[in-house]
Amino acid sequence: MARTQGSHSDITGPRIRAAALKLFAKDGYAAVSMRQIAKDVGVQAGALYNYTPDKQTLLYELLRGHMDDLLTVREAEASGTLAPLEALEGFVRFHIGFHVGRPDEVFIAYMELRSLEPENFAQVEKLRRQYEDELEGILQRGLESGDFAIDDAKIATLAVIAMLTGVNTWYRAGGRLSLEQVETIYWNMVKRAVVA
Amino acid sequence: MARTQGSHSDITGPRIRAAALKLFAKDGYAAVSMRQIAKDVGVQAGALYNYTPDKQTLLYELLRGHMDDLLTVREAEASGTLAPLEALEGFVRFHIGFHVGRPDEVFIAYMELRSLEPENFAQVEKLRRQYEDELEGILQRGLESGDFAIDDAKIATLAVIAMLTGVNTWYRAGGRLSLEQVETIYWNMVKRAVVA
DNA sequence: GTCTATAAAACGATAGAC
DNA sequence: GTCTATCGTTTTATAGAC
């Protein structure tokens, strides 16, 4: 007989977040009900409220956690002492590698920003801006050193990030190209687009 | 006294589509109720069903109409006789100009694809693919003629479109750069990224 | 900590009067 | 063609038993 009641506080919390992440990515925050999340986890809807005060907080914590991960992992890998060209290559390869490894998180981080209430939106937006600022700094340094030839560092930043994040719309592990090959193809395009 | 009843078939239909477009873009299809759309138009919810059989069809017709516009306008402007370089420049400038002029349509065409039921999704997706194929053809021709130096025409297609569509996330008419300047900045980046 | 049960509100869609 | 009224369902969130 399967147990239908009992204490599972250690595992139910993460399972709720995993289910919410998967369902929000597939159907969108507004289209997913708390009952669907509960069913996916294997508990009744009321039990979810032992782990989150409401649905909005559940979304916010997913997006906030994703941005925290992004900045933490990036900080551990980045080096401030590289020349602009090497710094840019490092950023491009990092961005692709990090993002293709977390397709659901990346998808909701982009698609569900508007589902956040204003205060939550502002928090997440600040972190996203912080991430973009690193790339803009690299491009600006390369522009001033003469290594890069771009018309506008801010626009180039947004253009490069849009191009790189687009990988997630088609890349699937196990396809005809390895991750390293994909990184190299995109790095070649970025390099040619901005390097003098 | 404002009239509260009467016949307005000529204008109510377009007003419903305009309101739905605006609200879907702002809050997302699933988060917008028929009552909200009706309120924005200035009619009662029941009246909407004189113009659309259901909410899903309303979304489908918006997305379908946008893709039809895109392909129709593009067909009128495109020329099959240009050399790869000129054809590519024409595509880049067209894409940016068309998309920044229709921010709400572009936004829902991308964000609400998943809100379409399978048959509707397939229809819209086919048109999107058709649009991408023109760019892929230009890049493939340039690759074969030796005008372009890219690793993979399909990936370059997706990379260029992702980069160009990203303009919509930040461009606003009346900002510090004119549309023509923005087009030129992006064309410079695309040109350098793919031209041999 | 999870269950069952339910409160209170909102939803998509329809019926019938005018 | 639009209105009012409503049906039947689903929603988020809570209360209280275990």
Side-chain angles (χ1 to χ4, degrees), chain B residues 4 6-7 12 43-44 50-51:
Chain B
T4 57
S7 175
T12 303
V43 296
Q44 293 298 316
N50 290 319
Y51 299 92

Side-chain angles (χ1 to χ4, degrees), chain A residues 50-140:
Chain A
N50 290 319
Y51 299 91
T52 184
D54 49 38
K55 189 183 170 189
Q56 167 71 200
T57 302
L58 193 50
L59 175 66
Y60 170 64
E61 286 176 352
L62 288 174
L63 265 56
R64 170 70 195 238
H66 172 65
M67 293 309 299
D68 284 342
D69 279 357
L70 175 66
L71 289 167
T72 302
V73 175
R74 178 56 187 159
E75 264 178 44
E77 289 194 16
S79 166
T81 64
L82 295 175
L85 185 70
E86 283 75 33
L88 182 59
E89 178 170 3
F91 186 94
V92 167
R93 291 185 184 276
F94 167 80
H95 186 94
I96 292 176
F98 185 91
H99 284 71
V100 300
R102 294 162 173 79
D104 284 349
E105 284 90 340
V106 170
F107 197 68
I108 66 167
Y110 183 71
M111 304 283 277
E112 301 300 350
L113 260 182
R114 64 165 160 196
S115 301
L116 291 175
E117 290 165 6
E119 322 89 86
N120 294 338
F121 176 87
Q123 293 288 324
V124 173
E125 185 66 5
K126 195 176 69 182
L127 298 176
R128 191 190 59 76
R129 176 58 179 265
Q130 200 173 315
Y131 179 70
E132 286 179 6
D133 282 347
E134 192 209 337
L135 176 57
E136 187 174 348
I138 292 170
L139 292 175
Q140 190 62 45

Side-chain angles (χ1 to χ4, degrees), chain B residues 58-80:
Chain B
L58 193 49
L59 176 65
Y60 170 64
E61 286 175 353
L62 288 173
L63 266 55
R64 170 70 196 238
H66 172 65
M67 293 309 300
D68 283 342
D69 280 356
L70 175 65
L71 290 167
T72 302
V73 176
R74 178 57 188 160
E75 263 177 45
E77 289 195 16
S79 166

Side-chain angles (χ1 to χ4, degrees), chain B residues 16 25 27 39 78 81 83 91 98 100 111 125 130 144 165 174:
Chain B
I16 289 171
D27 297 326
K39 183 174 182 180
T81 62
F91 186 94
F98 185 91
V100 300
M111 304 282 277
E125 185 67 5
Q130 199 174 316
E144 289 162 5
T165 307

